[in-house]
Amino acid sequence: RAYAAEALGKIGRIDISLALLKLLTVLDDPSPYVRAMMVVALGELQDERALNSVRKCLNDEDESVRKMAVWALNNIESSQ
């Protein structure tokens, strides 16, 4: 699942809406690693529609997810 999230982030520029839909629906995955990779993929997409979902990840119980959320937010916001 984590590799799928990473791949969607890389190819998502082709059809960003589809990639966003897929990633946003699985941000509640039980695996912290998967959640972190989902957030990274959202950051790679640099689409402002993901901002609210990524911001919610700032309160994740896992530190790595929170760190990736900070990175993703900076990446998305700097692309606007």
Side-chain angles (χ1 to χ4, degrees), residues 10 14 28 31 34 44 48 53 55 57 62 77 80:
K10 290 180 180 175
I14 297 167
D28 60 348
S31 167
V34 171
E44 289 288 332
E48 64 184 20
S53 296
R55 282 187 186 111
C57 293
D62 186 81
E77 290 169 348
Q80 304 306 314

Side-chain angles (χ1 to χ4, degrees), residues 1 7 9 11-13 23 43 46-47 51 73 76 78:
R1 294 179 309 236
I11 66 171
R13 289 176 182 86
L23 292 170
Q46 298 179 331
D47 190 301
L51 284 172
L73 285 172
I76 295 167
S78 68

Side-chain angles (χ1 to χ4, degrees), residues 32-33 35-36 57-67:
Y33 179 70
R35 290 193 310 275
C57 293
L58 293 172
N59 298 317
D60 194 276
E61 62 189 32
D62 186 81
E63 182 180 7
S64 65
V65 176
R66 294 190 305 268
K67 286 182 178 180

